[in-house]
Amino acid sequence: MHVGTRVIILFIVISVFWFFVFNIAIVSYFENSMIEVIADAVTPYARLSEADRRRHQPDFIVAGDHPLNRSDLVAVERVQDGRSYYIKKAYIQQRLNGFGIIVFGLESALFLSLVLFTYMSVARFVRDIEGKERFLNLLLLSFNHKIGNFLSTLKVNVEILKVSPSDSGCVQRLDQTCTRIEADMKRIFKMITTGYVNIKEVVNVGDAIEEIALFFKPELSSRSFLLDLHGAATTVMAYSDLEDILYNLMDNAIRYSVRTVGIRLRVVKKHVCIYIRNDIAPSAYKGAGLGKEITLKILNRYGANMSIRHRQDSYFVCVRLPLPPTKG
């Protein structure tokens, strides 16, 4: 059973028990108080003359010269005029029923409100926990994936060095691969430690794109890279999160591109739009994978969004980031 369901069931059981105890206590108190109030009302009635009592006798009061042994009556104490006065149990029950309906209606509304509030609170808490768990699982899968690629590349280059120890290009590739995996691991560990903390600051999107593009310079050197940063564009988010978004999308575009990668930055209405396009070999297309899911998790935290369009020989991504709020 889901932990959220267990919490709701436990809350309902405890609430029903305490509402039951509360109802018994409050109904008993109301009954005793009502009998005392009615008894106080009988005292001035008993002091009336016989003629006035006959004209103004309430229908819930029974009076007699002798004690009445009837189960449908409740004796009234503190009346001392030589007569016995009683209150009809049916009248008391009628008043209790009316009071019970009011109490039940109010408690039902209160109980349902508490259940709804508890459900919304627990659901939000559970969604947050599950979101963090899903995010960490994605990071773990990404970590395993990068380690696997790194080991495969390392193994290939080691085999090349065994055959040709003087191959400088192989040494250079090994150095680039080690630098890349070190940077990837730092980014993953940083995302793990920061978790879901939203640090909002005004950051320059164009500067971040240029910085990430410089990181991918070795891969981009063998491709036609088109970079179009039109004007200054800023957004509000943690700079590290913006780096993670750009890194995942550019890494995916470069990995599956054949000859061309293009990045365009524009401000459209109330959004900063980043357009990333790359050509792709149909047989090599595998989608954005883990990078896409991690990117979507980060974007959702800032109310941003991403749309993807792919064709047989091209792949296009549009990321919409919020503009900073205008002052004044």
Side-chain angles (χ1 to χ4, degrees):
M1 186 181 295
H2 196 278
V3 61
T5 305
R6 293 180 181 178
V7 172
I8 293 297
I9 292 176
L10 180 62
F11 172 79
I12 292 176
V13 171
I14 294 176
S15 299
V16 169
F17 172 76
W18 283 112
F19 272 117
F20 176 75
V21 174
F22 175 75
N23 285 337
I24 292 178
I26 195 172
V27 169
S28 298
Y29 175 78
F30 178 77
E31 182 179 8
N32 295 331
S33 300
M34 185 180 65
I35 292 175
E36 293 180 0
V37 170
I38 295 177
D40 292 338
V42 172
T43 301
Y45 168 78
R47 295 174 180 173
L48 298 174
S49 63
E50 182 68 22
D52 290 336
R53 281 200 297 265
R54 289 179 179 178
R55 286 196 302 266
H56 304 291
Q57 181 178 1
D59 57 356
F60 60 87
I61 295 178
V62 176
D65 296 329
H66 303 285
L68 302 177
N69 187 17
R70 291 169 52 181
S71 60
D72 63 330
L73 300 178
V74 177
V76 177
E77 306 292 339
R78 303 192 310 272
V79 178
Q80 300 177 357
D81 64 342
R83 294 169 60 91
S84 299
Y85 292 90
Y86 302 88
I87 303 171
K88 293 180 180 180
K89 284 186 177 180
Y91 176 74
I92 297 176
Q93 188 63 43
Q94 180 183 359
R95 295 288 299 272
L96 286 176
N97 290 342
F99 177 75
I101 291 175
I102 295 175
V103 172
F104 179 77
L106 294 176
E107 287 186 352
S108 298
L110 176 62
F111 179 73
L112 293 176
S113 300
L114 289 175
V115 170
L116 179 61
F117 175 77
T118 304
Y119 170 78
M120 294 176 64
S121 300
V122 172
R124 182 177 180 180
F125 175 76
V126 171
R127 282 196 301 268
D128 186 57
I129 294 296
E130 291 178 343
K132 291 180 179 180
E133 181 180 358
R134 174 63 176 167
F135 188 68
L136 291 176
N137 287 337
L138 288 173
L139 292 180
L140 180 60
L141 291 174
S142 178
F143 178 82
N144 293 334
H145 179 69
K146 291 178 183 298
I147 287 294
N149 290 340
F150 171 71
L151 292 177
S152 299
T153 304
L154 186 64
K155 184 177 180 180
V156 170
N157 285 281
V158 168
E159 293 297 328
I160 295 175
L161 285 176
K162 288 181 179 178
V163 177
S164 179
S166 60
D167 190 342
S168 59
C170 183
V171 175
Q172 184 179 4
R173 287 192 299 272
L174 281 173
D175 180 65
Q176 292 175 353
T177 303
C178 290
T179 303
R180 173 64 55 76
I181 196 64
E182 181 182 8
D184 286 345
M185 295 306 101
K186 286 182 179 179
R187 303 180 76 83
I188 290 176
F189 288 133
K190 182 179 62 177
M191 283 190 285
I192 292 175
T193 55
T194 56
Y196 269 31
V197 178
N198 275 4
I199 304 174
K200 295 187 177 182
E201 54 184 304
V202 178
V203 295
N204 190 300
V205 181
D207 292 345
I209 293 176
E210 290 180 337
E211 182 179 341
I212 299 300
L214 185 63
F215 181 81
F216 286 104
K217 184 177 180 179
E219 290 85 353
L220 292 172
S221 61
S222 60
R223 294 168 174 81
S224 175
F225 179 50
L226 306 175
L227 184 61
D228 181 9
L229 306 179
H230 180 70
T234 58
T235 188
V236 180
M237 64 168 48
Y239 189 78
S240 59
D241 286 339
L242 179 59
E243 284 184 325
D244 293 331
I245 293 171
L246 295 173
Y247 176 85
N248 288 329
L249 296 178
M250 291 180 65
D251 179 60
N252 182 77
I254 293 170
R255 178 178 298 147
Y256 297 110
S257 65
V258 180
R259 293 180 300 273
T260 304
V261 175
I263 300 177
R264 187 160 54 98
L265 178 65
R266 292 291 187 274
V267 176
V268 181
K269 295 182 179 180
K270 297 182 179 180
H271 295 89
V272 177
C273 296
I274 305 172
Y275 305 99
I276 302 178
R277 184 189 300 272
N278 62 278
D279 61 348
I280 190 170
S283 60
Y285 174 70
K286 298 180 182 179
L290 295 174
K292 173 187 174 183
E293 293 196 52
I294 295 174
T295 300
L296 287 174
K297 288 289 183 181
I298 299 174
L299 289 172
N300 289 336
R301 288 156 55 187
Y302 294 97
N305 61 77
M306 178 176 69
S307 59
I308 297 174
R309 184 176 73 246
H310 60 85
R311 298 176 180 174
Q312 186 176 6
D313 58 351
S314 64
Y315 194 84
F316 177 79
V317 176
C318 175
V319 177
R320 299 177 185 86
L321 304 174
L323 282 170
T326 56
K327 295 183 180 181

